[in-house]
Amino acid sequence: MRFAVISFPGSNCDDDCVRVVREVLGHDAYKVRHDVHDLDRPDVVLVPGGFSFGDYLRCGAIARFSPVMTDVAAFAGRGGPVVGICNGFQILTEAGLLPGALRRNVCLSFICEDRHVAVEGRSTPLTRGLSGEVLRIPIAHNEGNYCADEETLARLEGDGRVVFRYVAPDGRRSPEANPNGAANDIAGICNERGNVVGLMPHPERCAEPLLGNTDGRRLFDALLAAGADGGSR
Amino acid sequence: MTAWSAEVLKRHGLTGEEYARIEATLGRAPSWPELGVFSVLWSEHCSYKSSRVHLRRLPTRGPLVIQGPGENAGVIDAGGGHTVIFKMESHNHPSFIEPKQGAATGVGGILRDVFTMGARPIALLDALRFGDPAHPRTPHLVKGVVHGIGSYGNCVGVPTVGGDVVFDPCYDGNILVNAMAVGVARADRIFLGRAEGVGNPVFYVGSKTGRDGIHGATMASEEFGAQSEEKRPNVQVGDPFVEKLLIEACLEVMSEDLLVGIQDMGAAGLTSSSAEMAARSGSGIVLHLDRVPMRESGMTPYELLLSESQERMLMVCARGREARLIELVSRWGLDVCEIGVVTDSGRFVGTWHGQTVVDIPVSALVDDAPKYERPMAPPPPSPPLDLDAFPQAADGDFTPALSDLLARPSLASKRWVYRQYDHMVRTGTVLRPGEGDAAVVRLPETPRGVAISVGCNGRMCALSPRRGAAMAVAEAAVNVACVGARPAAITDCLNFASPERPAVMWSFSEAIDGLALACEALDTPVVSGNVSFYNETEGRGIHPTPMVGLVGLMPEAARAVGSAFPDAGLDVLLLGRVRPGLAGSEYAAGVGAPLCGDAPDLDLTAVRSLVEALLALHASDLIVSAHDVAEGGLAVALAECTFGDAAVGLVAAAPEHAERADEVLFGEGTGRVIVSTRDPAGVERICSQAGVPVWPLGRTAGQRLQITLAGRPVIDATVAELRARWATGFAGAVE
Amino acid sequence: MKGRITVQLKAGVLDVEGTAIARALGSLGFTASEVRVGRVFEVELGPEVANDPAGAALVLTDMARKLLANPVMERFEVEVLDGASGAA
């Protein structure tokens, strides 16, 4: 399978995503610059974490205007799987591919630590077969506080589009389990069609035994399985 | 009668004799920009004028050393064509004035020192020293510095994997922010700061030049006084986003054969980078200052030469490859501009719209800069520590004392700090902050690991600068060996008060000797470093603080060992034997004892044996955790071992290595490690072969920490209650 | 009485955010040779300065000096929303 990893100026998890796909999964991954109009026939598009354009103004606000984003939107429009991680999630919301916005953490500081998330909601290319599981995945962000208006939140919940939720290690929801104040403890959502997923946690940081945790690998394996079924677009 | 008034010379930090030397060198009075150039290059910060005569005594060679001091960073051989490139540098004064930007630009500067050598940065560490937590300014400084380090490191995408934070009233008016960067490069792709090849063009790459930090280098070399408020507009602002682009652009440029030399514009900006590059090559350089990309209108040659605007590099391009260089850099949206040329004149020349405004022999600026053998005098000997004045535990129970010690901000968990740093980006962090005695990151493209430890016990250095400095090296070496790596080399950051005071200069000289002794005993040469003098305010100086950053190498990163007990039923042993002392200890500070007495003995041969024993134990897979006994002594170290995810307790018998219980429990002294193992006989066998004494402490079990001494209980508490004090002590002090 | 305090980096201090935004505006076809970013604080003042624009301006200035602006690198302007204003 071919993974296109979008690289904006200031992206800093692009190399990590490429590395996991190539060296852990044994599949093909390549970076696509922000200023080109050629995704080069990928099976999956990853929008990685980092500080695109320095995250100045608002996270993702400048990146959404990059030429490559029109191609990402077209790929998503054709049903292609698009996964935005952390800053990638922020970019997808700014670009209108996912609803809502990510605001500053309520504690007003950057947080880097392991967190538990429950996989739930409808099946997506990233989460297929994992519903009900509790995964331990690192977060590393300053703006992960998901918010949306009441109507949007109700629609997301009603349609099973909340696909990752912060929980305690035992899977229960609690205020302490929510690191950033996100509405309804939301850590990740998908679009109406289910092919575009955004999440704040970093699965690429926990996908190999050397790093002491392979929970993230399970999400990448789900992507591979989905790609094997979906074929090339 | 000189051309420039005494007031002007004073503002440039030049003495009358130094000025006379300038006139003698030039055969005339210097122009205004020339005066600026001399002032920054002859400042303590750039010229090392007070320290150079002493730095010579440091060992800088060894089988692993590829590049020692003198370049932008040191380089060691990591095997298989890989190298590790690292350096530590201070940003103390700017961080005191504007903590967030000061610390952020400190991180940016040390990163540039490393990637200018061709290295991909893979890790950052920060050794921080703040004043008394109760001092009104301390919380503000802690928050600002941590925010600054985080905001820069997180954005630039280099993990901050370790460091340390210590509080002591001696840093009330002079905090220390020492940042260390570690990078990796192929041995055949290391770049040096050289201006070679007559006619090669000189390129300016990166951010535009503004009026930031003009005279920053001079500021860093002056002690603070009431007037330092006025220096505020000099503060530089860092842009980690541009730094990230600069890293990628430089590494891309370096992957092709375009460059002859490269250096970042750090302290004293364009002036020091160009003059130092020319000096290393014995060449000359001409800079057309009017071509420098400018951020503001009306900038003068003086300002352009001295500006410390951040995120800028100077590159000497191979003639004929200019177009490709411009193409690559432009793709990253960075300014790239040919501003000068390499000559063989041996002169540093600046022109302004065709007119020469600076013309100075390069040698006068760098190699022949002033060099002082400042007077030295030892301070009066310290009175002995009065142990009778120490509180005696009622009924011999030291549990409350241990609990209070664990809550002291210097010893408490630093999670509040490292939670704000991205310590996982680049997916190479094998031991995260707080997990092991040293940080461990993978050596990219290999199964090997790089272990890094930073630190220095300032109080011990105050009691004995020689022994304290040696302890800093020894402790870092033991830390690195604890996780399973062989100590390879160090970088240092020598923070001292005013060198114009003989007692300070004596302590500096002693510290150099201590570093040299330890580096020789442990085979860890010094490959890079930095000196920061004038850390004093209105006559009150900091403790001598020769910070050490040690890098070790390990064959398999996956075998890195943490410091906490992972399980119940493990045998716990104490390796190494020292006579623990309370002088200079955290316990003594905690009970308000004066800082006096003799620093604990340090046996470097024994430390070397301990390091070798640990490496042999790792090689045989005999230990499952290892933690050195440092600040806070044995009881604190044992408590820390129970603070892992397993939260397993311990029943232990403390060794009778001192007469008093408080000395046994809280006395300090380098050269002891607590290990847990499933094969105590195997551990004892290897240790006895290495000549390392072993004391069987006890076994991991239950949920309590119980320590006895000579059969009497001295500590008994649940792990949970001790952990709670330790976990909240830091945030409680600074929030 | 209500006041407004605008805090901006001093002239000459690099505005990294403004620089990035100016570049982004350029790539969208706008011409913006320089952008300086600032923050605006709208403050509802207490009764002690009711009907006292001069007093309100002094209070706002004090707030800006002590907390809202970083004197090391920022300048500020205060505005009493009834008309009087001051700057520093």
Side-chain angles (χ1 to χ4, degrees):
Chain A
M1 267 176 71
R2 288 166 61 76
F3 287 70
V5 178
I6 311 297
S7 189
F8 300 94
S11 292
N12 63 29
C13 303
D14 44 353
D15 288 343
D16 299 352
C17 287
V18 168
R19 186 177 185 288
V20 165
V21 173
R22 280 190 195 155
E23 291 177 34
V24 181
L25 306 179
H27 282 261
D28 190 15
Y30 52 95
K31 291 203 265 185
V32 176
R33 281 180 60 102
H34 65 107
D35 53 0
V36 300
H37 271 302
D38 184 9
L39 290 178
D40 198 12
R41 296 172 294 103
D43 298 300
V44 177
V45 170
L46 297 180
V47 189
F51 290 67
S52 56
F53 295 92
D55 269 359
Y56 296 130
L57 190 56
R58 290 185 310 280
C59 304
I62 300 178
R64 64 170 278 219
F65 290 110
S66 296
V68 75
M69 285 308 292
T70 52
D71 303 82
V72 172
F75 179 78
R78 294 195 295 274
V82 176
V83 177
I85 301 167
C86 197
N87 192 226
F89 185 12
Q90 295 161 344
I91 293 168
L92 293 179
T93 60
E94 282 282 343
L97 291 171
L98 289 171
L102 292 139
R103 289 196 303 175
R104 208 154 162 215
N105 299 342
V106 281
C107 63
L108 302 181
S109 66
F110 190 93
I111 306 172
C112 178
E113 64 191 12
D114 282 349
R115 281 286 168 168
H116 290 84
V117 291
V119 182
E120 56 182 64
R122 58 174 292 179
S123 180
T124 72
L126 188 66
T127 57
R128 201 171 59 164
L130 294 172
S131 189
E133 299 270 354
V134 174
L135 305 178
R136 178 166 60 98
I137 309 183
I139 58 168
H141 60 247
N142 200 33
E143 286 94 359
N145 176 1
Y146 184 80
C147 65
D149 57 55
E150 287 301 322
E151 193 192 326
T152 305
L153 284 174
R155 204 167 59 239
L156 288 173
E157 295 286 359
D159 295 347
R161 287 166 56 194
V162 175
V163 292
F164 295 99
R165 215 186 288 273
Y166 298 111
V167 292
D170 64 5
R172 263 179 274 192
R173 285 174 68 177
S174 76
E176 296 74 41
N178 180 338
N180 51 33
N184 298 7
D185 306 326
I186 288 172
I189 56 169
C190 67
N191 65 349
E192 280 176 30
R193 197 166 167 181
N195 64 315
V196 178
V197 182
L199 73 165
M200 289 312 297
H202 284 273
E204 81 281 11
R205 295 187 179 188
C206 54
E208 53 184 318
L210 179 66
L211 304 178
N213 179 2
T214 54
D215 281 4
R217 166 89 197 243
R218 304 178 68 188
L219 297 172
F220 283 99
D221 284 340
L223 266 180
L224 290 178
D229 292 355
S232 184
R233 270 160 250 265
Chain B
M1 175 73 188
T2 61
W4 299 103
S5 71
E7 173 57 28
V8 164
L9 298 185
K10 187 160 174 259
R11 265 198 290 135
H12 283 81
L14 292 164
T15 66
E17 296 86 72
E18 286 171 348
Y19 180 76
R21 221 167 123 177
I22 293 172
E23 285 207 344
T25 302
L26 295 176
R28 57 177 167 81
S31 67
W32 177 242
E34 284 173 337
L35 191 65
V37 166
F38 274 106
S39 85
V40 289
L41 282 175
W42 284 13
S43 72
E44 189 67 57
H45 189 80
C46 290
S47 72
Y48 295 85
K49 57 189 168 191
S50 303
S51 57
R52 269 196 292 175
V53 295
H54 298 285
L55 295 174
R56 285 195 307 243
R57 301 201 297 275
L58 293 172
T60 59
R61 287 163 206 270
L64 295 181
V65 178
I66 293 175
Q67 176 66 57
E71 272 289 342
N72 289 295
V75 184
I76 60 167
D77 187 351
H82 298 270
T83 68
V84 178
I85 301 183
F86 59 96
K87 190 183 182 190
M88 180 158 49
E89 201 162 72
S90 61
H91 227 218
N92 305 337
H93 297 69
S95 301
F96 187 79
I97 290 174
E98 212 306 295
K100 178 177 178 242
Q101 289 301 335
T105 51
V107 172
I110 196 62
L111 279 171
R112 285 192 295 283
D113 276 337
V114 162
F115 73 75
T116 191
M117 305 280 296
R120 160 71 68 183
I122 59 166
L124 285 165
L125 297 92
D126 304 278
L128 310 178
R129 297 293 179 272
F130 295 103
D132 189 337
H135 189 280
R137 223 172 126 75
T138 299
H140 161 75
L141 290 166
V142 173
K143 286 182 204 158
V145 165
V146 170
H147 186 208
I149 290 169
S151 62
Y152 205 98
N154 298 350
C155 180
V156 83
V158 179
T160 301
V161 298
D164 74 345
V165 189
V166 172
F167 296 84
D168 190 289
C170 78
Y171 305 108
D172 278 350
N174 296 84
I175 63 171
L176 303 185
V177 175
N178 292 182
M180 175 173 174
V182 182
V184 289
R186 300 290 308 181
D188 56 0
R189 299 227 65 97
I190 291 169
F191 288 80
L192 301 176
R194 282 165 205 265
E196 276 163 12
V198 175
N200 277 330
V202 175
F203 276 85
Y204 172 112
V205 170
S207 289
K208 291 181 168 47
T209 298
R211 293 189 171 97
D212 320 46
I214 289 174
H215 272 188
T218 319
M219 174 176 87
S221 310
E222 287 169 4
E223 64 183 277
F224 277 0
Q227 82 283 15
S228 58
E229 295 284 305
E230 287 165 31
K231 294 183 186 295
R232 283 181 161 180
N234 290 342
V235 169
Q236 317 99 299
V237 175
D239 187 347
F241 169 56
V242 170
E243 178 102 335
K244 169 69 176 165
L245 303 183
L246 202 52
I247 293 176
E248 301 306 330
C250 285
L251 292 180
E252 209 169 281
V253 164
M254 289 161 163
S255 70
E256 300 184 17
D257 292 319
L258 307 178
L259 297 186
V260 171
I262 174 170
Q263 179 153 335
D264 82 295
M265 296 187 217
L270 186 55
T271 293
S272 67
S273 54
S274 53
E276 285 172 13
M277 284 174 88
R280 287 195 198 101
S281 309
S283 60
I285 200 162
V286 175
L287 298 176
H288 305 297
L289 298 168
D290 46 290
R291 295 190 198 163
V292 171
M294 292 171 226
R295 204 172 75 221
E296 297 171 55
S297 58
M299 290 191 69
T300 65
Y302 179 96
E303 290 170 329
L304 291 164
L305 282 163
L306 268 52
S307 164
E308 294 195 350
S309 288
Q310 300 288 296
E311 291 92 24
R312 303 179 301 159
M313 307 290 267
L314 199 67
M315 298 181 180
V316 175
C317 181
R319 200 170 15 175
R321 306 305 312 271
E322 296 90 336
R324 181 66 179 155
L325 175 67
I326 292 168
E327 181 193 346
L328 286 179
V329 174
S330 305
R331 265 166 62 99
W332 291 97
L334 298 168
D335 272 300
V336 49
C337 180
E338 186 177 332
I339 61 163
V341 65
V342 176
T343 69
D344 58 2
S345 67
R347 299 189 78 84
F348 177 79
V349 175
T351 71
W352 183 249
H353 299 290
Q355 212 181 338
T356 297
V357 290
V358 172
D359 186 357
I360 307 170
V362 170
S363 57
L365 291 172
V366 184
D367 301 315
D368 301 336
K371 194 159 45 175
Y372 298 128
E373 289 201 42
R374 300 216 186 254
M376 304 190 290
S382 158
L385 185 65
D386 180 10
L387 285 176
D388 295 336
F390 275 62
Q392 298 299 309
D395 57 32
D397 180 8
F398 286 88
T399 310
L402 172 62
S403 180
D404 290 346
L405 205 45
L406 289 167
R408 285 178 62 77
S410 294
L411 295 185
S413 166
K414 302 301 180 293
R415 179 169 171 267
W416 183 91
V417 177
Y418 61 73
R419 190 175 183 244
Q420 299 185 50
Y421 301 155
D422 189 340
H423 46 263
M424 298 186 231
V425 64
R426 298 209 72 76
T427 59
T429 311
V430 178
L431 282 187
R432 298 181 190 176
E435 287 187 342
D437 273 25
V440 176
V441 290
R442 82 168 114 210
L443 185 67
E445 296 164 37
T446 76
R448 300 201 290 280
V450 180
I452 317 145
S453 171
V454 298
C456 172
N457 187 325
R459 277 198 299 265
M460 295 303 180
C461 294
L463 296 180
S464 164
R466 178 184 295 245
R467 222 177 296 161
M471 275 174 71
V473 179
E475 200 174 306
V478 171
N479 285 335
V480 157
C482 277
V483 301
R486 175 171 286 282
I490 73 161
T491 179
D492 59 37
C493 195
L494 309 174
N495 307 276
F496 286 77
S498 169
E500 293 162 40
R501 288 198 287 136
V504 173
M505 210 53 227
W506 173 84
S507 72
F508 182 82
S509 172
E510 286 285 297
I512 292 287
D513 288 336
L515 289 175
L517 282 171
C519 287
E520 266 153 23
L522 299 168
D523 273 343
T524 53
V526 181
V527 296
S528 57
N530 156 251
V531 179
S532 171
F533 276 129
Y534 297 99
N535 291 285
E536 65 178 62
T537 300
E538 279 152 13
R540 188 159 166 248
I542 61 164
H543 295 328
T545 314
M547 209 75 80
V548 168
L550 189 142
V551 169
L553 301 169
M554 59 198 299
E556 277 182 80
R559 289 175 60 180
V561 159
S563 54
F565 303 141
D567 223 338
L570 297 169
D571 279 280
V572 178
L573 309 172
L574 179 68
L575 314 188
R577 176 170 182 164
V578 303
R579 198 198 171 286
L582 289 178
S585 67
E586 189 68 26
Y587 179 71
V591 302
L595 179 58
C596 61
D598 234 0
D601 296 332
L602 176 65
D603 180 345
L604 288 167
T605 312
V607 170
R608 176 66 190 254
S609 303
L610 179 63
V611 166
E612 296 300 335
L614 283 164
L615 293 173
L617 291 167
H618 284 295
S620 311
D621 248 338
L622 281 170
I623 46 183
V624 292
S625 75
H627 183 33
D628 87 314
V629 179
E631 287 86 353
L634 180 65
V636 164
L638 286 171
E640 286 166 346
C641 290
T642 68
F643 295 158
D645 292 338
V648 63
L650 171 76
V651 181
E656 293 158 50
H657 288 167
E659 284 150 34
R660 294 165 54 108
D662 50 6
E663 288 179 300
V664 171
L665 294 172
F666 308 123
E668 298 179 14
T670 303
R672 293 175 291 169
V673 169
I674 298 161
V675 299
S676 65
T677 178
R678 296 191 173 85
D679 180 2
V683 172
E684 295 205 32
R685 192 178 60 247
I686 284 181
C687 286
S688 103
Q689 281 161 6
V692 172
V694 174
W695 173 274
L697 285 162
R699 295 198 118 206
T700 60
Q703 287 160 350
R704 301 185 76 81
L705 176 65
Q706 296 174 294
I707 305 176
T708 58
L709 179 60
R712 286 180 298 112
V714 283
I715 304 274
D716 187 1
T718 66
V719 169
E721 63 188 294
L722 294 176
R723 192 179 209 286
R725 295 289 312 275
W726 174 78
T728 53
F730 190 94
V734 303
E735 283 283 13
Chain C
M1 189 160 275
K2 205 168 171 178
R4 186 182 290 142
I5 303 167
T6 308
V7 179
Q8 269 193 312
L9 288 168
K10 287 178 184 167
V13 174
L14 172 63
D15 184 341
V16 298
E17 185 165 18
T19 307
I21 292 169
R23 197 175 298 155
L25 286 170
S27 69
L28 290 175
F30 294 102
T31 308
S33 60
E34 191 183 6
V35 174
R36 308 285 294 174
V37 179
R39 300 176 83 183
V40 175
F41 303 83
E42 287 191 350
V43 185
E44 196 69 58
L45 294 166
E48 67 277 11
V49 290
N51 305 317
D52 177 10
L58 283 177
V59 170
L60 291 166
T61 302
D62 207 27
M63 287 175 173
R65 270 212 189 104
K66 287 200 175 122
L67 178 68
L68 303 180
N70 175 350
V72 178
M73 46 208 283
E74 289 172 330
R75 58 185 288 276
F76 61 87
E77 276 175 27
V78 307
E79 202 181 337
V80 177
L81 292 181
D82 295 1
S85 72

CSV table of all heavy atoms in Angstrom, one decimal, chain A residues 53 55-58 62 65 104, chain C residues 16-17 20-21 24 27-28 39:
chain,number,residue,atom,x,y,z
A,53,PHE,N,3.4,25.9,9.5
A,53,PHE,CA,3.5,27.4,9.4
A,53,PHE,C,3.6,28.0,10.8
A,53,PHE,O,3.2,29.1,11.1
A,53,PHE,CB,2.4,28.0,8.6
A,53,PHE,CG,2.3,27.6,7.2
A,53,PHE,CD1,1.6,26.5,6.7
A,53,PHE,CD2,3.1,28.3,6.2
A,53,PHE,CE1,1.7,26.0,5.4
A,53,PHE,CE2,3.1,27.9,4.9
A,53,PHE,CZ,2.4,26.7,4.5
A,55,ASP,N,2.2,27.3,13.4
A,55,ASP,CA,0.9,27.3,14.1
A,55,ASP,C,0.6,28.8,14.5
A,55,ASP,O,-0.1,29.0,15.4
A,55,ASP,CB,0.9,26.5,15.4
A,55,ASP,CG,0.4,25.1,15.1
A,55,ASP,OD1,0.1,24.8,13.9
A,55,ASP,OD2,0.4,24.2,16.0
A,56,TYR,N,1.2,29.7,13.7
A,56,TYR,CA,0.8,31.1,14.0
A,56,TYR,C,-0.6,31.4,13.5
A,56,TYR,O,-1.1,30.7,12.7
A,56,TYR,CB,1.9,32.0,13.3
A,56,TYR,CG,3.3,31.8,13.9
A,56,TYR,CD1,4.3,31.6,13.0
A,56,TYR,CD2,3.5,31.8,15.2
A,56,TYR,CE1,5.6,31.4,13.5
A,56,TYR,CE2,4.8,31.6,15.7
A,56,TYR,CZ,5.8,31.4,14.9
A,56,TYR,OH,7.1,31.3,15.4
A,57,LEU,N,-1.2,32.4,14.1
A,57,LEU,CA,-2.6,32.8,13.9
A,57,LEU,C,-3.5,31.8,14.5
A,57,LEU,O,-4.0,32.1,15.6
A,57,LEU,CB,-2.9,32.9,12.4
A,57,LEU,CG,-4.2,33.6,12.0
A,57,LEU,CD1,-4.3,35.0,12.6
A,57,LEU,CD2,-4.4,33.6,10.5
A,58,ARG,N,-3.7,30.6,13.9
A,58,ARG,CA,-4.4,29.5,14.6
A,58,ARG,C,-3.8,28.3,14.0
A,58,ARG,O,-3.4,28.3,12.9
A,58,ARG,CB,-5.9,29.5,14.3
A,58,ARG,CG,-6.8,30.6,14.8
A,58,ARG,CD,-8.2,30.4,14.5
A,58,ARG,NE,-8.5,30.1,13.1
A,58,ARG,CZ,-8.5,31.1,12.1
A,58,ARG,NH1,-8.4,32.3,12.5
A,58,ARG,NH2,-8.8,30.7,10.9
A,62,ILE,N,-3.2,28.5,8.4
A,62,ILE,CA,-2.5,28.9,7.1
A,62,ILE,C,-2.3,27.7,6.3
A,62,ILE,O,-2.4,27.7,5.0
A,62,ILE,CB,-1.1,29.5,7.5
A,62,ILE,CG1,-1.3,30.8,8.4
A,62,ILE,CG2,-0.3,29.9,6.3
A,62,ILE,CD1,-0.1,31.5,8.9
A,65,PHE,N,-4.7,26.6,3.3
A,65,PHE,CA,-4.6,27.2,2.0
A,65,PHE,C,-3.5,26.7,1.1
A,65,PHE,O,-3.3,27.1,0.0
A,65,PHE,CB,-4.4,28.7,2.1
A,65,PHE,CG,-5.6,29.4,2.7
A,65,PHE,CD1,-5.6,30.0,4.0
A,65,PHE,CD2,-6.8,29.6,2.0
A,65,PHE,CE1,-6.7,30.6,4.5
A,65,PHE,CE2,-7.9,30.2,2.5
A,65,PHE,CZ,-7.9,30.7,3.8
A,104,ARG,N,-7.3,25.9,22.8
A,104,ARG,CA,-6.2,25.8,23.7
A,104,ARG,C,-6.6,24.8,24.8
A,104,ARG,O,-7.7,24.9,25.3
A,104,ARG,CB,-5.8,27.1,24.3
A,104,ARG,CG,-4.4,27.2,24.7
A,104,ARG,CD,-3.8,28.5,24.6
A,104,ARG,NE,-2.6,28.5,25.4
A,104,ARG,CZ,-2.2,29.5,26.2
A,104,ARG,NH1,-2.8,30.6,26.2
A,104,ARG,NH2,-1.1,29.3,26.9
C,16,VAL,N,7.3,37.3,15.1
C,16,VAL,CA,7.4,36.0,14.3
C,16,VAL,C,6.1,35.6,13.7
C,16,VAL,O,6.0,35.1,12.6
C,16,VAL,CB,8.0,34.9,15.1
C,16,VAL,CG1,9.5,35.2,15.5
C,16,VAL,CG2,7.2,34.5,16.3
C,17,GLU,N,5.0,35.9,14.5
C,17,GLU,CA,3.7,35.5,14.0
C,17,GLU,C,3.3,36.4,12.9
C,17,GLU,O,2.8,35.9,11.8
C,17,GLU,CB,2.7,35.6,15.2
C,17,GLU,CG,1.3,35.1,14.8
C,17,GLU,CD,0.5,34.9,16.1
C,17,GLU,OE1,0.8,35.4,17.1
C,17,GLU,OE2,-0.5,34.2,15.9
C,20,ALA,N,5.0,35.4,9.6
C,20,ALA,CA,4.4,34.2,9.0
C,20,ALA,C,3.0,34.6,8.3
C,20,ALA,O,2.7,34.1,7.3
C,20,ALA,CB,4.2,33.1,10.0
C,21,ILE,N,2.2,35.4,9.0
C,21,ILE,CA,0.9,35.8,8.5
C,21,ILE,C,1.1,36.6,7.2
C,21,ILE,O,0.4,36.5,6.2
C,21,ILE,CB,0.1,36.5,9.6
C,21,ILE,CG1,-0.3,35.5,10.7
C,21,ILE,CG2,-1.2,37.1,9.0
C,21,ILE,CD1,-0.8,36.2,11.9
C,24,ALA,N,1.7,34.4,4.4
C,24,ALA,CA,0.5,33.6,4.0
C,24,ALA,C,-0.4,34.5,3.3
C,24,ALA,O,-1.0,34.1,2.3
C,24,ALA,CB,-0.1,33.1,5.3
C,27,SER,N,0.8,34.8,-0.2
C,27,SER,CA,0.5,33.6,-1.1
C,27,SER,C,-1.0,33.5,-1.5
C,27,SER,O,-1.3,32.8,-2.4
C,27,SER,CB,1.0,32.3,-0.4
C,27,SER,OG,0.1,32.0,0.7
C,28,LEU,N,-1.8,34.2,-0.8
C,28,LEU,CA,-3.2,34.3,-1.1
C,28,LEU,C,-3.5,35.4,-2.1
C,28,LEU,O,-4.7,35.7,-2.4
C,28,LEU,CB,-4.1,34.4,0.1
C,28,LEU,CG,-4.2,33.2,1.0
C,28,LEU,CD1,-5.0,33.5,2.3
C,28,LEU,CD2,-4.8,32.0,0.3
C,39,ARG,N,-2.7,42.0,20.9
C,39,ARG,CA,-3.9,41.5,21.7
C,39,ARG,C,-4.7,42.6,22.2
C,39,ARG,O,-4.1,43.7,22.6
C,39,ARG,CB,-3.4,40.7,22.9
C,39,ARG,CG,-2.5,39.5,22.5
C,39,ARG,CD,-2.0,38.8,23.7
C,39,ARG,NE,-3.0,37.9,24.2
C,39,ARG,CZ,-2.8,37.1,25.4
C,39,ARG,NH1,-1.8,37.3,26.1
C,39,ARG,NH2,-3.8,36.3,25.8
